[in-house]
Amino acid sequence: MLRAGETEATVRGARLMWCNGRTGARGFYERHGYEAVGEEFVIEGVGPHYVFARRLG
């Protein structure tokens, strides 16, 4: 599903994908080419997160 979204975004001209991802999912995002950007932050009632980003194309 992640790759399908990246493909569609690329077709539509996007050059960057990003998301707020849970700290516990960091390995998942890194295995798919994403990098943590900035410092960890907390979403109230949800828990710790990072912004993950990956260049497309």
Side-chain angles (χ1 to χ4, degrees):
M1 189 169 255
L2 184 60
R3 290 292 180 228
E6 291 170 349
T7 299
E8 183 64 24
T10 300
V11 167
R12 293 177 181 224
R15 297 289 170 243
L16 178 74
M17 291 285 288
W18 69 273
C19 67
N20 293 333
R22 291 178 188 256
T23 298
R26 185 173 186 161
F28 168 82
Y29 287 107
E30 289 176 344
R31 281 191 303 278
H32 288 88
Y34 287 76
E35 294 182 27
V37 178
E39 300 292 320
E40 181 181 67
F41 62 95
V42 175
I43 295 177
E44 192 67 36
V46 180
H49 284 69
Y50 282 99
V51 170
F52 292 100
R54 179 178 186 269
R55 297 231 176 262
L56 301 174

